[in-house]
Amino acid sequence: MTGHETRAAALKAARERDSQDKRRRVLEALDSLQRAGTKITFAKVAKEAGVSNWLAYSPGMREPIEAARRRQEELGIEATVGAVPPQSRVSVASLKTDLSLAQQQVKELREERNRLRERLRIQLGTELNHTDTSELTAQVEELNRANAALTRSLQQAQADNKALRATIENLEDDLTAARQSLRKMMRAT
């Protein structure tokens, strides 16, 4: 073997060791984040391992990260405050204003509810005087069915909302990684 071939083989072996070390660090970071109960994202795993986002998305690394994310979704692990980008965070003053407005709205809604209850009480009292029990029973059953349907509809809407939020978070992670990869490619050219 010539000196040139020896150096080339040594460089190739060093690159292989470096690649294996980076992949090992990705898997260790993934394991560490899972044990800590931290919401797993590709960017977070790459940052924790000290490697590029590109490596986290590469074949062989992508699959265990996606599997861990699916497990967290099944367990209902939500994103932590640190996972929310700074531009998406809300100031304390804004939150206080929102809280004050919400409290005022709750107060108004309670007053309206009480007025409506009183009107309903009077209306029902009038109807009771003019209807028989079979009609009342039928109306109560219809109201119970309508209530059950509305409850199911609300539960479905809440589940859809949660799924859409998870999809948005995944898409934001993918967009961040794609932007970083594009920046690297542009720098390389």
Side-chain angles (χ1 to χ4, degrees), residues 21-52:
D21 178 56
K22 287 179 180 178
R23 290 174 181 270
R24 178 191 49 77
R25 289 192 332 237
V26 167
L27 294 175
E28 287 174 355
L30 178 61
D31 186 49
S32 172
L33 291 171
Q34 284 178 304
R35 278 187 273 114
T38 304
K39 178 74 173 166
I40 295 185
T41 64
F42 284 93
K44 193 173 286 180
V45 171
K47 182 178 179 183
E48 185 82 15
V51 299
S52 69

Side-chain angles (χ1 to χ4, degrees), residues 65-137:
I65 295 172
E66 286 177 338
R69 289 175 63 155
R70 279 192 300 276
R71 280 192 301 276
Q72 283 189 336
E73 273 184 33
E74 290 167 3
L75 295 173
I77 295 175
E78 297 293 330
T80 58
V81 173
V84 178
Q87 64 271 23
S88 299
R89 294 189 190 137
V90 181
S91 72
V92 173
S94 175
L95 290 174
K96 286 182 179 178
T97 302
D98 288 348
L99 176 62
S100 176
L101 291 171
Q103 288 172 335
Q104 179 62 33
Q105 187 178 19
V106 166
K107 180 182 175 187
E108 291 169 3
L109 289 172
R110 283 184 180 149
E111 290 170 356
E112 182 180 358
R113 177 200 63 197
N114 291 340
R115 284 192 309 272
L116 291 173
R117 276 185 177 171
E118 182 60 24
R119 286 179 54 197
L120 181 61
R121 186 185 64 75
I122 293 169
Q123 180 67 31
L124 286 175
T126 304
E127 287 179 16
L128 280 175
N129 292 334
H130 301 323
T131 42
D132 63 0
T133 41
S134 62
E135 286 181 47
L136 290 176
T137 303

Side-chain angles (χ1 to χ4, degrees), residues 41-47 52-54 56-57 69 82-88 167-184 187:
T41 64
F42 284 93
K44 193 173 286 180
V45 171
K47 182 178 179 183
S52 69
N53 284 346
W54 174 86
Y57 280 97
R69 289 175 63 155
V84 178
Q87 64 271 23
S88 299
T167 301
I168 288 170
E169 182 179 331
N170 290 339
L171 291 173
E172 287 175 345
D173 287 345
D174 289 347
L175 179 60
T176 300
R179 284 180 177 159
Q180 289 177 349
S181 293
L182 181 59
R183 284 189 204 111
K184 281 190 172 187
R187 286 186 201 131

